[in-house]
């Protein structure tokens, strides 16, 4: 997976997915990604003053992927819930 110019390792992606149990928020996924070594922000080459936010974008990508696959649902107020493996 790649987001904001950062390439995620399989282990980092798996850490993000592991944070998606029961009820959770995007920030839980971001924290898991950061603990797995994904930077909160980094400078992007070739962009004027650009800072990438790979933890946040990575969490968004994982949420989109799992929602489209029907494994999670949005409960409202930023809370998600895993409904299947």
């Amino acid at each position: 997976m790649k987001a904001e110019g950062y390439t995620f390792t399989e282990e980092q992606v798996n850490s993000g997915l592991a944070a998606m149990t029961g009820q959770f928020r995007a920030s839980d996924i971001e924290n898991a990604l950061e603990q797995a070594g994904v930077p909160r922000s980094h400078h992007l080459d070739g962009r004027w003053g650009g800072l990438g936010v790979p933890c946040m974008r990575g969490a968004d990508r994982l949420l989109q992927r799992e929602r489209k696959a029907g494994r999670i649902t949005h409960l409202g107020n930023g809370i998600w819930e895993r409904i299947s493996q």
Side-chain angles (χ1 to χ4, degrees), residues 16-25 28 72 80-82 85:
L17 292 172
M20 302 168 89
T21 59
Q23 291 185 358
F24 59 92
R25 294 180 176 270
D28 298 325
I72 64 172
W80 294 83
E81 184 173 43
R82 178 157 299 280
Q85 298 295 331

Side-chain angles (χ1 to χ4, degrees), residues 11-74:
E11 291 81 16
Q12 290 169 332
V13 170
N14 289 337
S15 292
L17 292 172
M20 302 168 89
T21 59
Q23 291 185 358
F24 59 92
R25 294 180 176 270
S27 60
D28 298 325
I29 304 166
E30 290 177 35
N31 292 336
L33 291 173
E34 184 177 31
Q35 289 293 318
V38 177
R40 281 274 175 194
S41 64
H42 69 127
H43 288 283
L44 297 173
D45 294 331
R47 284 188 167 174
W48 174 79
L51 276 177
V53 285
C55 275
M56 186 174 67
R57 288 286 141 243
D60 288 344
R61 295 272 171 86
L62 291 175
L63 284 169
Q64 290 173 27
R65 184 173 92 180
E66 294 300 293
R67 181 188 54 80
K68 287 177 184 176
R71 292 186 282 260
I72 64 172
T73 188
H74 188 247

